[in-house]
Amino acid sequence: MMRLTKLAFLAASIAALAGCGDRTLVDDGFRDTSVPLSVTTRGTAADLSGPWHMRAHFPGDRSLALVTFINDLNGAPAVEFLYSDCLLSGDCETRSELWRSDPLGQNRYRLTNGSGKSFDLWVIWVDEGFRTAALGTPDGSFGWIVDRKPTEGEDRIIAAREILSFNGYNTLRMIQK
């Protein structure tokens, strides 16, 4: 009798887990797009201004090291992405990309580069002191956890990860730096 009960429990568990696999991920996206994506109402563009170190990301963003929000670059807001690639020899190369930032609403931006490529960047969460933030896209093509410092603040990193998960991101796939 006990064996039958365990088998019934196992079958029910497998059926429940099978339902969890019904996700609406975009191509190689990292987010279940059927889950509404929130945006924080905390702060303004001025509060985000300055450099943010990459603390956690999804595969494909390994070399992104720094995201800098610029309030006024030749009369317009912008975002600079700094990439750092290092070879096994120890030689490192850095490059940066500058993207125009057009506000779509509070803490939502459309970033456009010089060749016309664009994507939407949302500030999903930021802590009260504007030290740690969770950033992402509605389509789930990326999600980042950034911080004012390259180390420390692990409690805020954990909170940002939980917020991303709540917003449909598969944070098990995140890589912490």
Side-chain angles (χ1 to χ4, degrees):
M1 183 67 170
M2 180 67 100
R3 182 170 167 82
L4 186 56
T5 304
K6 285 182 182 178
L7 285 175
F9 175 76
L10 181 61
S13 298
I14 291 171
L17 286 174
C20 292
D22 186 20
R23 302 300 235 175
T24 313
L25 295 176
V26 176
D27 295 320
D28 285 358
F30 303 105
R31 179 177 175 275
D32 177 353
T33 57
S34 69
V35 176
L37 182 63
S38 65
V39 63
T40 185
T41 58
R42 182 179 283 151
T44 65
D47 294 314
L48 293 172
S49 184
W52 295 81
H53 297 271
M54 183 62 60
R55 297 290 299 274
H57 59 84
F58 287 102
D61 289 324
R62 178 185 57 83
S63 63
L64 182 56
L66 203 64
V67 177
T68 302
F69 290 85
I70 304 166
N71 283 340
D72 186 3
L73 180 70
N74 300 323
V79 176
E80 180 182 34
F81 298 110
L82 180 69
Y83 297 89
S84 180
D85 293 304
C86 295
L87 303 173
L88 291 176
S89 66
D91 294 334
C92 294
E93 178 182 276
T94 59
R95 65 181 171 84
S96 68
E97 293 179 0
L98 204 53
W99 295 66
R100 186 181 77 238
S101 176
D102 296 311
L104 300 173
Q106 185 176 10
N107 292 317
R108 292 179 295 145
Y109 306 92
R110 172 147 308 128
L111 304 184
T112 308
N113 69 6
S115 64
K117 182 179 177 184
S118 68
F119 67 95
D120 291 352
L121 172 72
W122 288 22
V123 182
I124 300 165
W125 175 83
V126 66
D127 78 300
E128 191 174 297
F130 289 88
R131 298 165 294 174
T132 304
L135 309 175
T137 58
D139 69 5
S141 57
F142 76 82
W144 303 324
I145 298 173
V146 295
D147 194 273
R148 296 292 187 176
K149 294 183 177 183
T151 60
E152 301 174 11
E154 289 304 314
D155 58 330
R156 296 187 312 271
I157 303 302
I158 291 168
R161 185 181 291 270
E162 289 173 357
I163 294 292
L164 287 172
S165 181
F166 178 80
N167 279 275
Y169 280 91
N170 181 355
T171 56
L172 296 175
R173 293 182 65 192
M174 286 195 98
I175 301 164
Q176 195 156 335
K177 285 196 171 197

